[in-house]
PDB file of all heavy atoms in Angstrom:
ATOM      1  N   TRP C  59      24.962  -1.107  -4.027  1.00 86.00           N
ATOM      2  CA  TRP C  59      25.655  -2.428  -4.174  1.00 86.00           C
ATOM      3  C   TRP C  59      24.816  -3.444  -4.991  1.00 86.00           C
ATOM      4  O   TRP C  59      25.289  -4.096  -5.764  1.00 86.00           O
ATOM      5  CB  TRP C  59      26.013  -2.994  -2.781  1.00 86.00           C
ATOM      6  CG  TRP C  59      26.634  -4.281  -2.909  1.00 86.00           C
ATOM      7  CD1 TRP C  59      27.962  -4.547  -3.140  1.00 86.00           C
ATOM      8  CD2 TRP C  59      26.067  -5.610  -2.539  1.00 86.00           C
ATOM      9  NE1 TRP C  59      28.291  -5.822  -3.123  1.00 86.00           N
ATOM     10  CE2 TRP C  59      27.082  -6.497  -2.603  1.00 86.00           C
ATOM     11  CE3 TRP C  59      24.793  -5.925  -2.230  1.00 86.00           C
ATOM     12  CZ2 TRP C  59      26.865  -7.888  -2.527  1.00 86.00           C
ATOM     13  CZ3 TRP C  59      24.548  -7.285  -1.910  1.00 86.00           C
ATOM     14  CH2 TRP C  59      25.587  -8.280  -2.154  1.00 86.00           C
ATOM     15  N   LEU C  60      23.484  -3.461  -4.643  1.00 83.00           N
ATOM     16  CA  LEU C  60      22.594  -4.357  -5.354  1.00 83.00           C
ATOM     17  C   LEU C  60      22.447  -3.774  -6.890  1.00 83.00           C
ATOM     18  O   LEU C  60      22.360  -4.668  -7.765  1.00 83.00           O
ATOM     19  CB  LEU C  60      21.194  -4.271  -4.765  1.00 83.00           C
ATOM     20  CG  LEU C  60      20.981  -5.003  -3.410  1.00 83.00           C
ATOM     21  CD1 LEU C  60      19.515  -4.671  -2.831  1.00 83.00           C
ATOM     22  CD2 LEU C  60      21.295  -6.421  -3.631  1.00 83.00           C
ATOM     23  N   HIS C  61      22.560  -2.510  -7.047  1.00 79.00           N
ATOM     24  CA  HIS C  61      22.499  -2.065  -8.435  1.00 79.00           C
ATOM     25  C   HIS C  61      23.665  -2.546  -9.237  1.00 79.00           C
ATOM     26  O   HIS C  61      23.590  -2.948 -10.454  1.00 79.00           O
ATOM     27  CB  HIS C  61      22.401  -0.552  -8.436  1.00 79.00           C
ATOM     28  CG  HIS C  61      22.502   0.039  -9.821  1.00 79.00           C
ATOM     29  ND1 HIS C  61      21.507  -0.160 -10.774  1.00 79.00           N
ATOM     30  CD2 HIS C  61      23.408   0.954 -10.363  1.00 79.00           C
ATOM     31  CE1 HIS C  61      21.848   0.531 -11.814  1.00 79.00           C
ATOM     32  NE2 HIS C  61      22.927   1.267 -11.639  1.00 79.00           N
ATOM     33  N   ARG C  62      24.877  -2.525  -8.662  1.00 83.00           N
ATOM     34  CA  ARG C  62      26.087  -2.962  -9.374  1.00 83.00           C
ATOM     35  C   ARG C  62      26.030  -4.484  -9.604  1.00 83.00           C
ATOM     36  O   ARG C  62      26.559  -5.002 -10.689  1.00 83.00           O
ATOM     37  CB  ARG C  62      27.225  -2.647  -8.466  1.00 83.00           C
ATOM     38  CG  ARG C  62      27.690  -1.240  -8.614  1.00 83.00           C
ATOM     39  CD  ARG C  62      29.028  -0.892  -8.028  1.00 83.00           C
ATOM     40  NE  ARG C  62      29.203  -1.265  -6.709  1.00 83.00           N
ATOM     41  CZ  ARG C  62      29.014  -0.538  -5.710  1.00 83.00           C
ATOM     42  NH1 ARG C  62      28.627   0.685  -5.795  1.00 83.00           N
ATOM     43  NH2 ARG C  62      29.130  -1.018  -4.433  1.00 83.00           N
ATOM     44  N   ARG C  63      25.355  -5.205  -8.854  1.00 80.00           N
ATOM     45  CA  ARG C  63      25.313  -6.628  -8.951  1.00 80.00           C
ATOM     46  C   ARG C  63      24.107  -7.041  -9.812  1.00 80.00           C
ATOM     47  O   ARG C  63      23.822  -8.268 -10.036  1.00 80.00           O
ATOM     48  CB  ARG C  63      25.113  -7.389  -7.593  1.00 80.00           C
ATOM     49  CG  ARG C  63      26.434  -7.222  -6.720  1.00 80.00           C
ATOM     50  CD  ARG C  63      26.228  -7.956  -5.432  1.00 80.00           C
ATOM     51  NE  ARG C  63      25.901  -9.316  -5.507  1.00 80.00           N
ATOM     52  CZ  ARG C  63      26.777 -10.243  -5.588  1.00 80.00           C
ATOM     53  NH1 ARG C  63      28.060 -10.089  -5.648  1.00 80.00           N
ATOM     54  NH2 ARG C  63      26.462 -11.612  -5.684  1.00 80.00           N
ATOM     55  N   GLY C  64      23.331  -6.101 -10.295  1.00 78.00           N
ATOM     56  CA  GLY C  64      22.179  -6.368 -11.145  1.00 78.00           C
ATOM     57  C   GLY C  64      21.013  -6.949 -10.410  1.00 78.00           C
ATOM     58  O   GLY C  64      20.140  -7.594 -11.020  1.00 78.00           O
ATOM     59  N   ARG C  65      20.947  -6.797  -9.099  1.00 80.00           N
ATOM     60  CA  ARG C  65      19.879  -7.414  -8.314  1.00 80.00           C
ATOM     61  C   ARG C  65      18.864  -6.231  -7.787  1.00 80.00           C
ATOM     62  O   ARG C  65      18.133  -6.513  -6.850  1.00 80.00           O
ATOM     63  CB  ARG C  65      20.529  -8.127  -7.033  1.00 80.00           C
ATOM     64  CG  ARG C  65      21.320  -9.290  -7.472  1.00 80.00           C
ATOM     65  CD  ARG C  65      20.551 -10.365  -8.199  1.00 80.00           C
ATOM     66  NE  ARG C  65      19.251 -10.801  -7.444  1.00 80.00           N
ATOM     67  CZ  ARG C  65      19.351 -11.719  -6.633  1.00 80.00           C
ATOM     68  NH1 ARG C  65      20.460 -12.302  -6.229  1.00 80.00           N
ATOM     69  NH2 ARG C  65      18.227 -12.075  -5.937  1.00 80.00           N
ATOM     70  N   LEU C  66      18.951  -5.088  -8.461  1.00 78.00           N
ATOM     71  CA  LEU C  66      18.103  -4.045  -7.817  1.00 78.00           C
ATOM     72  C   LEU C  66      16.624  -4.223  -8.150  1.00 78.00           C
ATOM     73  O   LEU C  66      15.700  -3.831  -7.341  1.00 78.00           O
ATOM     74  CB  LEU C  66      18.653  -2.655  -8.355  1.00 78.00           C
ATOM     75  CG  LEU C  66      18.053  -1.493  -7.664  1.00 78.00           C
ATOM     76  CD1 LEU C  66      18.465  -1.448  -6.204  1.00 78.00           C
ATOM     77  CD2 LEU C  66      18.638  -0.176  -8.397  1.00 78.00           C
ATOM     78  N   VAL C  67      16.314  -4.785  -9.227  1.00 79.00           N
ATOM     79  CA  VAL C  67      14.849  -4.927  -9.607  1.00 79.00           C
ATOM     80  C   VAL C  67      14.080  -5.775  -8.485  1.00 79.00           C
ATOM     81  O   VAL C  67      13.045  -5.449  -8.104  1.00 79.00           O
ATOM     82  CB  VAL C  67      14.728  -5.665 -10.965  1.00 79.00           C
ATOM     83  CG1 VAL C  67      13.295  -5.848 -11.305  1.00 79.00           C
ATOM     84  CG2 VAL C  67      15.366  -4.742 -12.073  1.00 79.00           C
ATOM     85  N   ASP C  68      14.673  -6.964  -8.127  1.00 73.00           N
ATOM     86  CA  ASP C  68      14.064  -7.773  -7.101  1.00 73.00           C
ATOM     87  C   ASP C  68      14.622  -7.523  -5.823  1.00 73.00           C
ATOM     88  O   ASP C  68      14.299  -8.278  -4.747  1.00 73.00           O
ATOM     89  CB  ASP C  68      14.184  -9.234  -7.475  1.00 73.00           C
ATOM     90  CG  ASP C  68      15.595  -9.730  -7.723  1.00 73.00           C
ATOM     91  OD1 ASP C  68      16.519  -8.912  -7.334  1.00 73.00           O
ATOM     92  OD2 ASP C  68      15.752 -10.851  -8.095  1.00 73.00           O
ATOM     93  N   VAL C  69      15.580  -6.519  -5.593  1.00 71.00           N
ATOM     94  CA  VAL C  69      16.177  -6.273  -4.393  1.00 71.00           C
ATOM     95  C   VAL C  69      16.699  -7.491  -3.579  1.00 71.00           C
ATOM     96  O   VAL C  69      16.748  -7.569  -2.379  1.00 71.00           O
ATOM     97  CB  VAL C  69      15.377  -5.358  -3.454  1.00 71.00           C
ATOM     98  CG1 VAL C  69      15.210  -3.970  -3.982  1.00 71.00           C
ATOM     99  CG2 VAL C  69      14.026  -5.989  -3.150  1.00 71.00           C
ATOM    100  N   GLY C  70      17.120  -8.458  -4.352  1.00 68.00           N
ATOM    101  CA  GLY C  70      17.801  -9.667  -3.791  1.00 68.00           C
ATOM    102  C   GLY C  70      16.766 -10.576  -3.054  1.00 68.00           C
ATOM    103  O   GLY C  70      17.155 -11.491  -2.338  1.00 68.00           O
ATOM    104  N   LEU C  71      15.416 -10.442  -3.330  1.00 68.00           N
ATOM    105  CA  LEU C  71      14.536 -11.179  -2.645  1.00 68.00           C
ATOM    106  C   LEU C  71      13.865 -12.250  -3.610  1.00 68.00           C
ATOM    107  O   LEU C  71      13.952 -12.030  -4.897  1.00 68.00           O
ATOM    108  CB  LEU C  71      13.325 -10.347  -2.043  1.00 68.00           C
ATOM    109  CG  LEU C  71      13.802  -9.285  -1.030  1.00 68.00           C
ATOM    110  CD1 LEU C  71      12.552  -8.410  -0.686  1.00 68.00           C
ATOM    111  CD2 LEU C  71      14.342  -9.981   0.186  1.00 68.00           C
ATOM    112  N   SER C  72      13.285 -13.259  -3.076  1.00 64.00           N
ATOM    113  CA  SER C  72      12.675 -14.267  -3.868  1.00 64.00           C
ATOM    114  C   SER C  72      11.349 -13.722  -4.487  1.00 64.00           C
ATOM    115  O   SER C  72      10.710 -12.993  -3.919  1.00 64.00           O
ATOM    116  CB  SER C  72      12.326 -15.453  -2.976  1.00 64.00           C
ATOM    117  OG  SER C  72      11.533 -16.386  -3.657  1.00 64.00           O
ATOM    118  N   PRO C  73      10.957 -14.228  -5.716  1.00 69.00           N
ATOM    119  CA  PRO C  73       9.750 -13.838  -6.280  1.00 69.00           C
ATOM    120  C   PRO C  73       8.488 -14.179  -5.430  1.00 69.00           C
ATOM    121  O   PRO C  73       7.424 -13.482  -5.505  1.00 69.00           O
ATOM    122  CB  PRO C  73       9.632 -14.633  -7.651  1.00 69.00           C
ATOM    123  CG  PRO C  73      11.107 -14.879  -7.952  1.00 69.00           C
ATOM    124  CD  PRO C  73      11.795 -15.060  -6.552  1.00 69.00           C
ATOM    125  N   ARG C  74       8.687 -15.169  -4.447  1.00 69.00           N
ATOM    126  CA  ARG C  74       7.608 -15.578  -3.575  1.00 69.00           C
ATOM    127  C   ARG C  74       7.254 -14.318  -2.561  1.00 69.00           C
ATOM    128  O   ARG C  74       6.200 -14.346  -2.123  1.00 69.00           O
ATOM    129  CB  ARG C  74       7.982 -16.738  -2.833  1.00 69.00           C
ATOM    130  CG  ARG C  74       8.003 -18.023  -3.676  1.00 69.00           C
ATOM    131  CD  ARG C  74       8.301 -19.198  -2.862  1.00 69.00           C
ATOM    132  NE  ARG C  74       8.388 -20.505  -3.615  1.00 69.00           N
ATOM    133  CZ  ARG C  74       8.687 -21.579  -3.092  1.00 69.00           C
ATOM    134  NH1 ARG C  74       8.942 -21.821  -1.823  1.00 69.00           N
ATOM    135  NH2 ARG C  74       8.706 -22.688  -3.910  1.00 69.00           N
ATOM    136  N   VAL C  75       8.330 -13.485  -2.444  1.00 66.00           N
ATOM    137  CA  VAL C  75       8.129 -12.351  -1.611  1.00 66.00           C
ATOM    138  C   VAL C  75       7.763 -11.127  -2.322  1.00 66.00           C
ATOM    139  O   VAL C  75       6.890 -10.440  -2.016  1.00 66.00           O
ATOM    140  CB  VAL C  75       9.443 -12.107  -0.750  1.00 66.00           C
ATOM    141  CG1 VAL C  75       9.241 -10.883   0.090  1.00 66.00           C
ATOM    142  CG2 VAL C  75       9.821 -13.377   0.102  1.00 66.00           C
ATOM    143  N   THR C  76       8.511 -10.916  -3.454  1.00 67.00           N
ATOM    144  CA  THR C  76       8.316  -9.634  -4.193  1.00 67.00           C
ATOM    145  C   THR C  76       6.915  -9.644  -4.884  1.00 67.00           C
ATOM    146  O   THR C  76       6.411  -8.591  -4.971  1.00 67.00           O
ATOM    147  CB  THR C  76       9.300  -9.537  -5.261  1.00 67.00           C
ATOM    148  OG1 THR C  76       9.461 -10.656  -6.102  1.00 67.00           O
ATOM    149  CG2 THR C  76      10.707  -9.286  -4.540  1.00 67.00           C
ATOM    150  N   GLY C  77       6.495 -10.760  -5.263  1.00 66.00           N
ATOM    151  CA  GLY C  77       5.248 -10.976  -6.026  1.00 66.00           C
ATOM    152  C   GLY C  77       4.052 -10.489  -5.199  1.00 66.00           C
ATOM    153  O   GLY C  77       3.277  -9.544  -5.622  1.00 66.00           O
ATOM    154  N   PRO C  78       3.779 -11.110  -4.041  1.00 69.00           N
ATOM    155  CA  PRO C  78       2.701 -10.645  -3.160  1.00 69.00           C
ATOM    156  C   PRO C  78       2.892  -9.207  -2.644  1.00 69.00           C
ATOM    157  O   PRO C  78       1.907  -8.433  -2.548  1.00 69.00           O
ATOM    158  CB  PRO C  78       2.814 -11.610  -1.971  1.00 69.00           C
ATOM    159  CG  PRO C  78       3.413 -12.763  -2.498  1.00 69.00           C
ATOM    160  CD  PRO C  78       4.466 -12.302  -3.457  1.00 69.00           C
ATOM    161  N   ALA C  79       4.161  -8.773  -2.339  1.00 63.00           N
ATOM    162  CA  ALA C  79       4.320  -7.419  -1.831  1.00 63.00           C
ATOM    163  C   ALA C  79       4.048  -6.374  -2.939  1.00 63.00           C
ATOM    164  O   ALA C  79       3.369  -5.361  -2.731  1.00 63.00           O
ATOM    165  CB  ALA C  79       5.763  -7.332  -1.427  1.00 63.00           C
ATOM    166  N   ALA C  80       4.423  -6.643  -4.216  1.00 61.00           N
ATOM    167  CA  ALA C  80       4.112  -5.750  -5.230  1.00 61.00           C
ATOM    168  C   ALA C  80       2.580  -5.598  -5.534  1.00 61.00           C
ATOM    169  O   ALA C  80       2.189  -4.589  -6.053  1.00 61.00           O
ATOM    170  CB  ALA C  80       4.806  -6.143  -6.553  1.00 61.00           C
ATOM    171  N   ALA C  81       1.894  -6.716  -5.243  1.00 64.00           N
ATOM    172  CA  ALA C  81       0.450  -6.750  -5.405  1.00 64.00           C
ATOM    173  C   ALA C  81      -0.315  -6.347  -4.146  1.00 64.00           C
ATOM    174  O   ALA C  81      -1.468  -6.711  -3.941  1.00 64.00           O
ATOM    175  CB  ALA C  81       0.043  -8.046  -5.933  1.00 64.00           C
ATOM    176  N   TRP C  82       0.377  -5.593  -3.219  1.00 63.00           N
ATOM    177  CA  TRP C  82      -0.270  -5.133  -1.972  1.00 63.00           C
ATOM    178  C   TRP C  82      -0.699  -6.290  -1.105  1.00 63.00           C
ATOM    179  O   TRP C  82      -1.899  -6.254  -0.538  1.00 63.00           O
ATOM    180  CB  TRP C  82      -1.492  -4.145  -2.282  1.00 63.00           C
ATOM    181  CG  TRP C  82      -1.177  -2.733  -2.185  1.00 63.00           C
ATOM    182  CD1 TRP C  82      -0.919  -1.764  -3.064  1.00 63.00           C
ATOM    183  CD2 TRP C  82      -0.688  -2.157  -0.827  1.00 63.00           C
ATOM    184  NE1 TRP C  82      -0.533  -0.584  -2.584  1.00 63.00           N
ATOM    185  CE2 TRP C  82      -0.374  -0.773  -1.171  1.00 63.00           C
ATOM    186  CE3 TRP C  82      -0.716  -2.539   0.474  1.00 63.00           C
ATOM    187  CZ2 TRP C  82      -0.052   0.090  -0.146  1.00 63.00           C
ATOM    188  CZ3 TRP C  82      -0.318  -1.603   1.458  1.00 63.00           C
ATOM    189  CH2 TRP C  82       0.019  -0.254   1.057  1.00 63.00           C
ATOM    190  N   PHE C  83      -0.007  -7.419  -1.089  1.00 61.00           N
ATOM    191  CA  PHE C  83      -0.195  -8.416  -0.133  1.00 61.00           C
ATOM    192  C   PHE C  83      -1.619  -9.070  -0.233  1.00 61.00           C
ATOM    193  O   PHE C  83      -2.278  -9.542   0.784  1.00 61.00           O
ATOM    194  CB  PHE C  83       0.046  -8.022   1.308  1.00 61.00           C
ATOM    195  CG  PHE C  83       1.394  -7.403   1.479  1.00 61.00           C
ATOM    196  CD1 PHE C  83       1.601  -6.105   1.578  1.00 61.00           C
ATOM    197  CD2 PHE C  83       2.529  -8.205   1.674  1.00 61.00           C
ATOM    198  CE1 PHE C  83       2.851  -5.581   1.763  1.00 61.00           C
ATOM    199  CE2 PHE C  83       3.743  -7.681   1.884  1.00 61.00           C
ATOM    200  CZ  PHE C  83       3.970  -6.372   1.906  1.00 61.00           C
ATOM    201  N   GLY C  84      -2.112  -9.033  -1.469  1.00 63.00           N
ATOM    202  CA  GLY C  84      -3.493  -9.598  -1.648  1.00 63.00           C
ATOM    203  C   GLY C  84      -4.677  -8.757  -1.213  1.00 63.00           C
ATOM    204  O   GLY C  84      -5.766  -9.250  -1.308  1.00 63.00           O
ATOM    205  N   LEU C  85      -4.402  -7.577  -0.783  1.00 67.00           N
ATOM    206  CA  LEU C  85      -5.461  -6.630  -0.365  1.00 67.00           C
ATOM    207  C   LEU C  85      -6.500  -6.417  -1.511  1.00 67.00           C
ATOM    208  O   LEU C  85      -7.710  -6.435  -1.287  1.00 67.00           O
ATOM    209  CB  LEU C  85      -5.089  -5.320   0.078  1.00 67.00           C
ATOM    210  CG  LEU C  85      -4.534  -5.325   1.488  1.00 67.00           C
ATOM    211  CD1 LEU C  85      -3.952  -3.863   1.923  1.00 67.00           C
ATOM    212  CD2 LEU C  85      -5.641  -5.681   2.530  1.00 67.00           C
ATOM    213  N   PRO C  86      -6.130  -6.153  -2.827  1.00 65.00           N
ATOM    214  CA  PRO C  86      -7.075  -6.036  -3.847  1.00 65.00           C
ATOM    215  C   PRO C  86      -7.983  -7.329  -3.981  1.00 65.00           C
ATOM    216  O   PRO C  86      -9.225  -7.204  -4.221  1.00 65.00           O
ATOM    217  CB  PRO C  86      -6.254  -5.803  -5.056  1.00 65.00           C
ATOM    218  CG  PRO C  86      -5.063  -5.143  -4.576  1.00 65.00           C
ATOM    219  CD  PRO C  86      -4.774  -5.895  -3.265  1.00 65.00           C
ATOM    220  N   PHE C  87      -7.351  -8.497  -3.851  1.00 62.00           N
ATOM    221  CA  PHE C  87      -8.072  -9.746  -3.904  1.00 62.00           C
ATOM    222  C   PHE C  87      -9.085  -9.833  -2.813  1.00 62.00           C
ATOM    223  O   PHE C  87     -10.264 -10.194  -2.950  1.00 62.00           O
ATOM    224  CB  PHE C  87      -7.152 -10.991  -3.942  1.00 62.00           C
ATOM    225  CG  PHE C  87      -7.784 -12.316  -3.858  1.00 62.00           C
ATOM    226  CD1 PHE C  87      -8.460 -12.932  -5.021  1.00 62.00           C
ATOM    227  CD2 PHE C  87      -7.914 -12.965  -2.623  1.00 62.00           C
ATOM    228  CE1 PHE C  87      -9.086 -13.984  -4.942  1.00 62.00           C
ATOM    229  CE2 PHE C  87      -8.583 -14.187  -2.522  1.00 62.00           C
ATOM    230  CZ  PHE C  87      -9.240 -14.707  -3.673  1.00 62.00           C
ATOM    231  N   LEU C  88      -8.555  -9.518  -1.528  1.00 71.00           N
ATOM    232  CA  LEU C  88      -9.474  -9.599  -0.409  1.00 71.00           C
ATOM    233  C   LEU C  88     -10.643  -8.562  -0.510  1.00 71.00           C
ATOM    234  O   LEU C  88     -11.777  -8.931  -0.216  1.00 71.00           O
ATOM    235  CB  LEU C  88      -8.694  -9.306   0.891  1.00 71.00           C
ATOM    236  CG  LEU C  88      -7.650 -10.393   1.277  1.00 71.00           C
ATOM    237  CD1 LEU C  88      -6.947  -9.948   2.514  1.00 71.00           C
ATOM    238  CD2 LEU C  88      -8.464 -11.720   1.522  1.00 71.00           C
ATOM    239  N   ALA C  89     -10.331  -7.378  -1.087  1.00 67.00           N
ATOM    240  CA  ALA C  89     -11.412  -6.407  -1.248  1.00 67.00           C
ATOM    241  C   ALA C  89     -12.448  -6.867  -2.237  1.00 67.00           C
ATOM    242  O   ALA C  89     -13.674  -6.634  -2.106  1.00 67.00           O
ATOM    243  CB  ALA C  89     -10.755  -5.089  -1.750  1.00 67.00           C
ATOM    244  N   ARG C  90     -11.982  -7.470  -3.293  1.00 65.00           N
ATOM    245  CA  ARG C  90     -12.956  -8.026  -4.322  1.00 65.00           C
ATOM    246  C   ARG C  90     -13.762  -9.138  -3.703  1.00 65.00           C
ATOM    247  O   ARG C  90     -14.975  -9.136  -3.855  1.00 65.00           O
ATOM    248  CB  ARG C  90     -12.177  -8.588  -5.547  1.00 65.00           C
ATOM    249  CG  ARG C  90     -12.993  -8.977  -6.696  1.00 65.00           C
ATOM    250  CD  ARG C  90     -12.305  -9.329  -7.911  1.00 65.00           C
ATOM    251  NE  ARG C  90     -11.484 -10.591  -7.800  1.00 65.00           N
ATOM    252  CZ  ARG C  90     -10.294 -10.694  -7.648  1.00 65.00           C
ATOM    253  NH1 ARG C  90      -9.472  -9.621  -7.662  1.00 65.00           N
ATOM    254  NH2 ARG C  90      -9.655 -11.887  -7.471  1.00 65.00           N
ATOM    255  N   VAL C  91     -13.072 -10.057  -3.014  1.00 69.00           N
ATOM    256  CA  VAL C  91     -13.924 -11.270  -2.416  1.00 69.00           C
ATOM    257  C   VAL C  91     -14.735 -10.749  -1.226  1.00 69.00           C
ATOM    258  O   VAL C  91     -15.998 -11.213  -1.162  1.00 69.00           O
ATOM    259  CB  VAL C  91     -12.870 -12.247  -1.955  1.00 69.00           C
ATOM    260  CG1 VAL C  91     -13.648 -13.383  -1.159  1.00 69.00           C
ATOM    261  CG2 VAL C  91     -12.122 -12.903  -3.120  1.00 69.00           C
ATOM    262  N   ALA C  92     -14.339  -9.876  -0.534  1.00 69.00           N
ATOM    263  CA  ALA C  92     -15.105  -9.498   0.812  1.00 69.00           C
ATOM    264  C   ALA C  92     -16.105  -8.337   0.476  1.00 69.00           C
ATOM    265  O   ALA C  92     -17.187  -8.291   1.240  1.00 69.00           O
ATOM    266  CB  ALA C  92     -14.081  -9.052   1.869  1.00 69.00           C
ATOM    267  N   VAL C  93     -15.854  -7.480  -0.494  1.00 75.00           N
ATOM    268  CA  VAL C  93     -16.663  -6.407  -0.649  1.00 75.00           C
ATOM    269  C   VAL C  93     -17.305  -6.350  -2.089  1.00 75.00           C
ATOM    270  O   VAL C  93     -18.536  -6.348  -2.284  1.00 75.00           O
ATOM    271  CB  VAL C  93     -15.856  -5.003  -0.479  1.00 75.00           C
ATOM    272  CG1 VAL C  93     -16.730  -3.835  -0.748  1.00 75.00           C
ATOM    273  CG2 VAL C  93     -15.255  -5.000   0.934  1.00 75.00           C
ATOM    274  N   VAL C  94     -16.444  -6.356  -3.140  1.00 77.00           N
ATOM    275  CA  VAL C  94     -16.949  -6.122  -4.512  1.00 77.00           C
ATOM    276  C   VAL C  94     -17.859  -7.227  -4.900  1.00 77.00           C
ATOM    277  O   VAL C  94     -18.938  -6.980  -5.422  1.00 77.00           O
ATOM    278  CB  VAL C  94     -15.771  -5.935  -5.475  1.00 77.00           C
ATOM    279  CG1 VAL C  94     -16.244  -5.801  -6.927  1.00 77.00           C
ATOM    280  CG2 VAL C  94     -14.812  -4.800  -5.031  1.00 77.00           C
ATOM    281  N   ASP C  95     -17.305  -8.435  -4.863  1.00 77.00           N
ATOM    282  CA  ASP C  95     -18.147  -9.609  -5.305  1.00 77.00           C
ATOM    283  C   ASP C  95     -19.561  -9.775  -4.512  1.00 77.00           C
ATOM    284  O   ASP C  95     -20.565  -9.915  -5.090  1.00 77.00           O
ATOM    285  CB  ASP C  95     -17.367 -10.920  -5.209  1.00 77.00           C
ATOM    286  CG  ASP C  95     -16.359 -10.993  -6.217  1.00 77.00           C
ATOM    287  OD1 ASP C  95     -16.316 -10.199  -7.127  1.00 77.00           O
ATOM    288  OD2 ASP C  95     -15.356 -11.849  -6.030  1.00 77.00           O
TER     289      ASP C  95
END
């Protein structure tokens, strides 16, 4: 149904939700700040 409505890319969610989720909820940032840096 989302595919037919053209909303499959963001699955009908706000970019505020899909952005952090697609980036692993900030885990890479936390790893860089807590470990790498």
